Amino acid sequence: SFSGALPPPADESTPAGPEEALEAAVARVNLLLDGYELDADECVSDLFNCLTALPADQGRWERATTVLEQIIQRYLSVESVFEGKPMDAVMQQLIRSNSSNLTPVLNQVRAHMRAKQRQDLILSLLKQAPTLPQRVLSRGPISWADDHAPISDSLRGNIEALSKLRGNEYGDIAVVASNILIERRLPSIDKRLEELKKILIGSQPLSRAWGKASAGDLQSLVESPTLAVDLLPALFADKDEKVQNAALEVYAKRVFRAHNVLSTAVSRDDGMTSISWQFKFNTFPDESPLRCGLLARVDNVAEAKSRFTAILDRLDATIKAAGASNDQMHVLHVAICQQSADDSLPGDLEAFIATQKPRLESMGIKFVNVLAYANLELPSYYTFHSSKDFKEDLLYRGERPTVAHLLELARLENYGLTRLPTVNRDLHMYVGESSVGARRGPAKHLLLRRLSHSKDVMEGGLERVLDKAVEALSLSLMDSRAKGASSSRIYVNFLPHLEEQNFSVAISSLKNKLADFISRKSASLLARRVDEIEIRVRVGKEKVPLRLMATSMSGQWLKVDMYKEYLEPTTGKAEQFCMLGPNGEEQACFLEPYPQPGALQQKRAVARAIGTTYIFDFLGLFEKALVLDWRAHVADVGGTMPSEFFSASELVLGEDGVLTKEQRPAGSNNVGMVGWHCFMKTPEYPQGREIVIVGNDCTYMSGSFGVKEDDVYDAVSKYARNLGLPRVYIASNSGARIGLVEELKPYFKIAWIDDSNPGMGFKYLYLTPDDYKVFPEGTVAAEEIVEGGETRMKLTDIIGQIHGIGVENLRGSGMIAGEQSAAYADAFTLSYVTGRSVGIGAYLCRLGQRNIQMTNGPLILTGYLALNKLLGREVYTSQDQLGGPQVMMPNGVSHLQVSDDQEGVRSILKWLSYTPATSKSQAPALRTSDPVDRDIEFMPTKTPYDPRNMLAGVQSNGAFAKGFFDVNSWTETLPDWGKSVVTGRARLGGIPCGVIAVETRLMEQRIPADPANPESREAVLAQAGQVWFPDSAHKTATAIRDFNNAENLPLFIFANWRGFSGGTRDMYGEILKFGAMIVDELRVYRHPVFVYIPPNGELRGGAWVVVDPTINEARMEMYADKESRGGILEPPGICEVKFRSKDQIAAMHRLDPILANLAEDPEKNKDEIKKREASLLPMYTQVAHEFADLHDRSGRMKAKGVIRDVVEWQNARRYFHGRLTRRLAVDALASRIKEQLGDVELDKSIEALVEDAIAASGVNANDDRAVAALLENSSDKVMADVMVKGRAAQVAQFVSELKGLDAEALSAILAQM
């Protein structure tokens, strides 16, 4: 059997020389990358050896980098195709792109299936790449970062592409590639050291992004964000004492930068160099005790031990001279300058320091820090803390001792920590394992801790640092050790204090900045599972410590709060956190600023594990998305964003079946369906609107539908429907709940046909009488029998005591299916598929009609594993093959596809922005910066064009040509279904409208092959432009129904159809049915419909019939551009019937003088006449076409009354806005009148009576804008005039009814009056 490992082709030839050997080595690497089985390390080693063996004068370095680039390109050519995409989707695309030759598909798939071996090779290559210069360059030891080892822009670009690969399998590659790029950006270490020495002695100023510091300004170096602190120890023993002194001073002040360093002093007594300093913690408002520190430099461990007593004496003298206490506050550093770190060093140091413990304790030493390094090596740090009895504290291993304090690593002591590599020395990343709230073993959390030296917190620094943190999370999440992490948390400590900032202004600004960042980056934060962002800053001259928190621990996703810290003066640790109000006032105070993770975090982890967002976190996503909508709106038209713009009350179904609004903690539900009544202020509804949300809690029994879930869904849906509110369903479920009576399993027994041979089968299941009595009455139905002398209770039915494990769930599913269907008819319904939705879950989405589908949210009836079992073979490989967006978008079930939940929520809000507040109202006009009174700049052409350009405008020749609708208001729906028609929503002068337009280009319909049928093939059907096909006709009818049902949108149809496709396939595909459906939907349309034939457009035959205004004369109007056409047949077609060749020849004889002369003697000139006719026929055919075409023009359409007016395209925007405004105003007034008059018989419609009253008012009834202005300012007067006629009709109708009554009934009515 095939193991999946392909042996490479045999090659027994021996390379003739170095060049041939290199080619052979490259060929082996390529074979490995192509999927053949070879050893990665061996391939890379051979390659590097061959590069080294090349003659020195043959450009070894250039050749090496070229080979490196080609290898990386070969790797990327495959992985860039598969990265971040489902395997079946990639396969489908590859097969489609290579349908004539599948060999390239086989090659790419074969290579990708050996992804692990390919990654090992690239990793080996990257890790050894920094040694390449020293291997192949003959000019001495040159580092990878050296300018003498240049790399091309294309190689740098390829390495950068590797660093940006996303996916767990690429994690190691991305981190190593990122590190290589960073190393390439830095000068070599010797150059950096030389530059640092010059800055320290003042011969060169420090260059900063905001300008150069003064030469000799050491404080600027202490505060520099770019200082490489780990280079300073290399200068502690420099031959220049001035360099030594400066390096020691900068190191001490830098390491203790967060504290107040009062003084420093360098000593060289007794041949030992040291620096001492005095410092205090910044513990406003209380003053911290004075502390002392000392750093002594020695050459090796032996010297450190021999001089340790002298070192302690020097520190002791410093403490006493300062008058400081000895309460374990002082610090000791020992720098061992010629000591490379090895595994035995920490144990050796720990054993020695243990012997010094009594002296250390008596002096009040808090910790001893030892840094060991050799020339040009990265220092190693070891800290021996008093709290650990001066044993090494591994939390501090590898770090400067104050880093752990500044990063508050002590707060992570409840986690089992594993540190991950990062590309930034000041950024620490840990995988923390915690058993708190975990159900299935320790829960993993990704913990990012960062120190920042940036001073521009308020000028973009906060956002920049957080962006880098999010990117670091991306890399770390790909590390295999972070696999399964349920959440990520970010902590950033900004060390520079904001001295110039006003306290209350800083609080407000920082909160807004963080809230804005979360809103803008919410998709990225969700993808990285960020549940907490913690920012620590110090503000004002007093350096007041503030902690900015965005946390999900209390329920709402990343809720932003600000805390003021009160620090304990001795330890410097926060002992109290007080929440600050909007103006900086202190509110509630806590010992900890946030609760520990618990059940809520576990539920989030469950939701994230299946690829969706915890249902309660969607409320936070709505709030964040609203911020972005408001920001965009304010940037467009000005104004301000409201402060309180979103709130939600949970809808809870009580035991009495009554739905109530409650405020309770997130995750309090005991049922897998939750709902909310939400209030939100949007740009369209600045005063606020209400919506209802209902969704599956996929963390409760996998989101399955049981009886309780069905009851909640039904109640919430009826609640929304009765109020007429829009209702959004968030779907992530496993279908109807299934179950068995579990408590019965240990008790039932089997009656075998032959007890000694179970293979012969069994007769029935039974319980013993004693076991039968154990269960409550009604648990099972059984009949008592006696067999073999034994009394048995033979089971006939198993019922159980739990309501909700079988057919009762199906009954509930039927109930909510019916409710969903009714809800679509009565109110606005929208479903968002955030995760797998099965069975009834899928049907609910379809019954609600409008669907937004997330890429990872398939809609299925049965899981693929069950189907494979049914088929008896492995046919399907994923749920996406059955109901992913690649299926549901082309078939019209899903209207929009989104890549993540934040984009999904933004799409929900976008859709809601076009809808009215209730199902009985009209959506308001949105203030827009695009003036209505402007020309349309895009001109439709006679050649095929994208109709979206006509609607929304297009960027052309460096300028934007505006379309019919408001700029940036167009949203297309159903883009992948029925592509010969374009549908969507847009705004005209801020008024939301439904839109249907026609594709003029040739399109394709793809019908996928069925994996279950090996004989099936993908079918690609060409669809001509300007023609209705079965799918596009169905799409048109569906869109009209959606616009009409509860969206209450006026409809614009840009009609440009030549007719319906009537071939055998399309007739079989029910083109007749779907064409008729368009008429059905237009007949019942309740809002204004404008059918407009655009320039160079045409409307003919059956296509005209199904959109003709007589279908619904009260609502529909038709218009045409001057250059449009309308008729039964196109000119060539009608000429074949009504202006044939004989008619054209007759016209020749009537009009052509030469033919007239020849016709005087037809017999003689017979041949000449035929020759003349033949030469003129092509031109007269064109004349005939022109003659027929003149019958199809807009002038005749208007003369015959089939269109209301001819509207030139350039002026159409302003014309239709006036017309639309008038129609909507008339409809709104008519609705008010109908409410008051009720059911009364009139000789005219209410709308017609309103038009009569308008005409009688003296205003120009033909001026739409004037009429709209009248109805806006004087609608009560018009209404009063109509009401007079309506009341009169009511009285007449009442009198007529009285006349029909007999005397007795009439007397009874009069008596009541």
Side-chain angles (χ1 to χ4, degrees), residues 992-1008:
C993 306
V995 185
I996 296 173
V998 185
E999 182 61 77
T1000 62
R1001 300 168 296 177
L1002 179 69
M1003 307 305 290
E1004 289 182 344
Q1005 180 190 19
R1006 292 181 177 271
I1007 303 171

Side-chain angles (χ1 to χ4, degrees), residues 601-868:
Q601 278 303 99
Q602 184 63 23
K603 290 181 178 182
R604 282 195 179 96
V606 171
R608 288 166 177 165
I610 63 174
T612 183
T613 300
Y614 183 42
I615 185 65
F616 284 86
D617 288 344
F618 273 96
L619 298 180
L621 294 186
F622 273 95
E623 186 173 12
K624 306 312 185 270
L626 281 171
V627 171
L628 297 181
D629 288 353
W630 271 108
R631 295 291 185 209
H633 180 68
V634 170
D636 183 37
V637 299
T640 58
M641 185 176 74
S643 55
E644 300 292 334
F645 50 82
F646 183 82
S647 62
S649 298
E650 190 174 351
L651 296 171
V652 180
L653 186 66
E655 294 295 331
D656 56 359
V658 177
L659 202 66
T660 58
K661 291 196 286 187
E662 294 185 15
Q663 294 291 339
R664 62 179 188 174
S668 301
N669 54 303
N670 59 357
V671 60
M673 188 73 67
V674 291
W676 295 275
H677 185 137
C678 302
F679 174 82
M680 58 178 71
K681 293 179 182 178
T682 68
E684 302 77 27
Y685 294 90
Q687 301 305 313
R689 71 176 301 174
E690 298 169 273
I691 68 166
V692 171
I693 299 173
V694 63
N696 303 106
D697 180 355
C698 62
T699 70
Y700 186 93
M701 301 188 76
S702 301
S704 58
F705 289 83
V707 173
K708 288 184 177 180
E709 285 74 19
D710 296 333
D711 288 342
V712 172
Y713 189 95
D714 183 66
V716 173
S717 180
K718 285 185 168 70
Y719 174 84
R721 188 150 59 98
N722 292 337
L723 295 174
L725 295 177
R727 194 213 56 193
V728 177
Y729 169 45
I730 299 175
S732 177
N733 56 75
S734 55
R737 187 172 301 153
I738 58 176
L740 297 171
V741 181
E742 297 293 332
E743 60 269 28
L744 199 61
K745 285 183 179 178
Y747 292 93
F748 74 84
K749 292 180 171 51
I750 305 168
W752 300 105
I753 293 174
D754 182 349
D755 290 342
S756 64
N757 186 9
M760 294 183 65
F762 65 94
K763 295 181 285 186
Y764 55 84
L765 304 181
Y766 68 94
L767 293 174
T768 65
D770 290 339
D771 289 344
Y772 177 77
K773 294 174 184 177
V774 168
F775 297 98
E777 186 177 351
T779 301
V780 298
E783 58 184 51
E784 185 176 324
I785 62 173
V786 177
E787 185 168 321
E790 179 187 6
T791 300
R792 297 177 175 178
M793 303 302 294
K794 178 183 175 182
L795 297 176
T796 59
D797 298 277
I798 299 177
I799 300 162
Q801 294 297 308
I802 298 174
H803 187 54
I805 60 171
V807 290
E808 62 272 34
N809 293 339
L810 296 179
R811 183 180 180 87
S813 295
M815 174 184 71
I816 59 176
E819 168 55 31
Q820 184 81 334
S821 178
Y824 173 75
D826 295 345
F828 176 80
T829 55
L830 175 62
S831 300
Y832 172 53
V833 187
T834 176
R836 173 199 61 196
S837 200
V838 184
I840 181 59
Y843 272 111
L844 287 179
C845 295
R846 176 56 192 159
L847 289 165
Q849 300 295 330
R850 305 174 188 90
N851 293 307
I852 301 171
Q853 187 173 12
M854 205 251 276
T855 301
N856 295 328
L859 286 165
I860 58 175
L861 297 180
T862 304
Y864 79 96
L865 293 174
L867 282 177
N868 286 342

Side-chain angles (χ1 to χ4, degrees), residues 54 70 174 275 357 391 423 479 595 620 699 703 707 740 919 929 933 1031 1099 1103 1148 1151 1162 1262 1265:
L54 287 174
Q70 290 171 347
I275 183 172
K357 178 182 173 184
K391 291 183 172 62
V423 297
D479 193 298
T699 70
V707 173
L740 297 171
S919 57
S929 62
D933 193 15
D1031 58 348
L1099 189 60
M1148 294 178 206
L1151 297 172
N1262 294 321
R1265 293 181 183 275

Side-chain angles (χ1 to χ4, degrees), residues 527-546:
R528 280 79 177 170
R529 305 175 178 182
V530 176
D531 282 327
E532 187 172 278
I533 300 175
E534 189 172 357
I535 309 293
R536 195 168 187 267
V537 294
R538 293 177 294 164
V539 176
K541 295 187 182 299
E542 298 85 3
K543 302 181 182 179
V544 178
L546 298 178

Side-chain angles (χ1 to χ4, degrees), residues 110-354:
R110 181 187 65 215
H112 182 67
M113 296 308 288
R114 301 283 292 175
K116 178 65 170 63
Q117 289 72 23
R118 287 160 48 83
Q119 287 151 20
D120 288 344
L121 182 136
I122 297 298
L123 267 176
S124 180
L125 199 69
L126 290 175
K127 287 176 179 178
Q128 296 188 53
T131 70
L132 257 182
Q134 296 182 32
R135 292 184 185 219
V136 303
L137 286 171
S138 57
R139 295 186 294 272
I142 299 175
S143 76
W144 167 256
D146 200 289
D147 292 335
H148 296 293
I151 64 173
S152 66
D153 290 340
S154 56
L155 175 55
R156 188 188 304 273
N158 282 317
I159 296 175
E160 189 170 346
L162 288 176
S163 74
K164 292 181 178 178
L165 285 174
R166 293 296 174 262
N168 289 335
E169 63 271 34
Y170 306 118
D172 292 339
I173 289 177
V175 171
V176 173
S178 296
N179 280 322
I180 284 179
L181 289 172
I182 286 177
E183 289 176 23
R184 282 297 308 185
R185 288 198 294 267
L186 294 173
S188 60
I189 191 168
D190 52 345
K191 287 183 178 179
R192 290 159 64 202
L193 267 176
E194 193 59 37
E195 182 182 14
L196 181 57
K197 285 171 65 173
K198 291 178 181 178
I199 296 172
L200 287 171
I201 62 177
S203 63
Q204 177 178 319
L206 174 68
S207 296
R208 302 174 296 190
W210 59 93
K212 290 186 177 181
S214 301
D217 181 3
L218 294 184
Q219 188 59 33
S220 67
L221 196 57
V222 170
E223 298 174 356
S224 171
T226 58
L227 172 65
V229 184
D230 292 323
L231 291 180
L232 287 169
L235 302 177
F236 288 173
D238 192 82
K239 58 185 179 181
D240 186 340
E241 285 192 0
K242 188 175 180 181
V243 172
Q244 287 185 26
N245 293 351
L248 288 166
E249 180 182 345
V250 171
Y251 181 86
K253 288 184 175 180
R254 177 65 171 219
V255 170
F256 288 84
R257 182 184 174 189
H259 309 309
N260 186 12
V261 178
L262 304 174
S263 64
T264 61
V266 176
S267 171
R268 289 188 172 82
D269 296 341
D270 301 325
M272 181 176 67
T273 301
S274 69
I275 183 172
S276 60
W277 61 93
Q278 298 176 15
F279 66 104
K280 290 184 176 182
F281 286 173
N282 291 304
T283 55
F284 175 84
D286 299 319
E287 185 173 354
S288 171
L290 182 65
R291 305 158 194 269
C292 295
L294 183 131
L295 184 151
R297 179 184 61 78
V298 294
D299 287 340
N300 49 53
V301 174
E303 185 182 356
K305 292 178 179 179
S306 65
R307 287 185 175 270
F308 201 77
T309 300
I311 293 171
L312 291 180
D313 290 342
R314 191 171 292 186
L315 176 56
D316 193 31
T318 301
I319 295 170
K320 289 176 178 175
S325 70
N326 55 358
D327 292 335
Q328 289 195 338
M329 298 184 295
H330 311 297
V331 296
L332 174 61
H333 299 250
V334 179
I336 308 177
C337 298
Q338 297 175 21
Q339 178 73 54
S340 293
D342 59 54
D343 293 340
S344 64
L345 182 59
D348 186 16
L349 291 171
E350 186 177 280
F352 173 75
I353 291 174

